[in-house]
Amino acid sequence: MTAPADGCAPSAAACPTAGSSSLLFVLDAMVTVILPVVIVAAVGALLARRFRLDQDTVGKISLYGFTPALAYTSLVKTTVSLGDGLALAGAYLAATALTGALAAAAATGLDRPSRRGVIAATVLGNNGNFGLPIALLALGAAGLDQAVILFVVSLVVMFTVGPALLGSHRGPVGALVSVLRLPVTWAMVAAVVVRITGTQLPSGLSTGIDLLAAAAIPLVLVSLGIQLGSAGRIHWTRAVLTATVARVAVLPVLSLGVGAAMGLRGLPLQSLLLAQSMPTAVNAFMLAREYGTDTDNVAGVVALSTVISLGTIAFVVSILPRLA
């Protein structure tokens, strides 16, 4: 499936029709893009309520087993040029850094762990198990290609900035080692080598990788549902509210401005806005739990931003054609 020239996927909710109102666009986006994501994630949440499932194990299966195949196949088949990819990554990083600085200013007066938690929950986005399926449903295969690039950039941010903010003392070298240990990193390297050299993998191997890639998005959604279904109640603190507003409301607006200022147009700008509309990553909570830093607040931001983003993402999807 590929997105046509106007930036809409063939079945995307964002495709306008004559006389449609903005409200109808939003409702259509809710049904066409958000509802499928919610249904699959809800299966994971129900399983988590019914059975004792190990969140870490399911997460590792997704991150280490299936997502690398998705990254590999997307990069091998992508039509995104190197220049467009670098521009997209640069705009993503610039908007994320700017919003992180604003979140830090808004969190002035909080204790140091809470302030660091606010910044981390703002800059660490769920561009994997939320961003990838929504990009596919909203923008088609071409949008998924760009979403994979942003997902990889978000992983670098996750395992460099995340540990630095939430308590790791391993320094830059330790952060680099964390990124290099991710199979998705080496899957991307392999994809680049295959594209440059024109290597043709044996059909059986290619089919196996394609099967893993096809299963990646449903699995990451089930994983998200398991993690949310196992979450406790939300703590309505200043830190939670500050990070949620920064992540869900401020970041998308700034990203749209930064992307346009950096020359992004059409599908790249749509992809950037959609990616930056995602809620706080569940991995932010995982890192907070690993380092014992502001765990309750970060968990609250993950849950609250995920719930609120169901509506805000539907709105963003409904306005994407205007950026085409």
Side-chain angles (χ1 to χ4, degrees), residues 155 194 234 267 277:
L155 282 180
V194 166
I234 298 174
L267 184 60
S277 301

Side-chain angles (χ1 to χ4, degrees), residues 9-260:
S11 60
C15 297
T17 58
S20 294
S21 67
S22 297
L23 178 58
L24 289 178
F25 278 155
V26 174
L27 293 176
D28 196 22
M30 289 288 291
V31 172
T32 309
V33 177
I34 304 299
L35 183 59
V37 170
V38 171
I39 289 174
V40 181
V43 171
L46 290 173
L47 290 173
R49 295 290 186 182
R50 179 65 178 84
F51 305 105
R52 299 186 62 176
L53 301 177
D54 189 334
Q55 299 177 47
D56 292 336
T57 297
V58 177
K60 283 182 172 59
I61 292 173
S62 172
L63 180 61
Y64 291 93
F66 289 78
T67 303
L70 178 62
Y72 173 86
T73 56
S74 296
L75 288 180
V76 166
K77 300 175 182 178
T78 185
T79 58
V80 180
S81 68
L82 177 60
D84 287 345
L86 291 176
L88 194 61
Y92 178 93
L93 292 173
T96 299
L98 180 57
T99 309
L102 293 177
T108 300
L110 296 176
D111 59 79
R112 187 176 181 183
S114 294
R115 193 178 186 203
R116 285 174 171 261
V118 166
I119 301 170
T122 299
V123 303
L124 304 180
N126 194 342
N127 296 113
N129 52 14
F130 219 63
L132 295 178
I134 288 178
L136 176 62
L137 291 170
L139 294 172
L144 178 62
D145 287 349
Q146 304 213 2
V148 169
I149 293 173
L150 293 176
F151 167 58
V152 173
V153 175
S154 74
L155 282 180
V156 174
V157 174
M158 179 76 64
F159 292 101
T160 53
V161 177
L165 288 171
L166 295 173
S168 174
H169 302 289
R170 295 179 298 169
V173 174
L176 177 61
V177 170
S178 295
V179 174
L180 292 178
R181 290 177 61 186
L182 293 172
V184 69
T185 302
W186 298 106
M188 290 182 61
V189 172
V192 171
V193 171
V194 166
R195 289 200 64 154
I196 291 176
T197 62
T199 303
Q200 295 291 328
L201 298 182
S203 60
L205 180 58
S206 295
T207 301
I209 295 173
D210 288 343
L211 286 173
L212 286 171
I217 287 179
L219 181 61
V220 295
L221 280 176
V222 170
S223 174
L224 174 65
I226 290 172
Q227 291 163 342
L228 293 177
S230 302
R233 65 183 182 87
I234 298 174
H235 297 268
W236 297 87
T237 65
R238 176 188 166 193
V240 170
L241 295 176
T242 299
T244 300
V245 170
R247 179 74 216 179
V248 175
V250 177
L251 180 57
V253 175
L254 287 180
S255 297
L256 183 58
V258 170

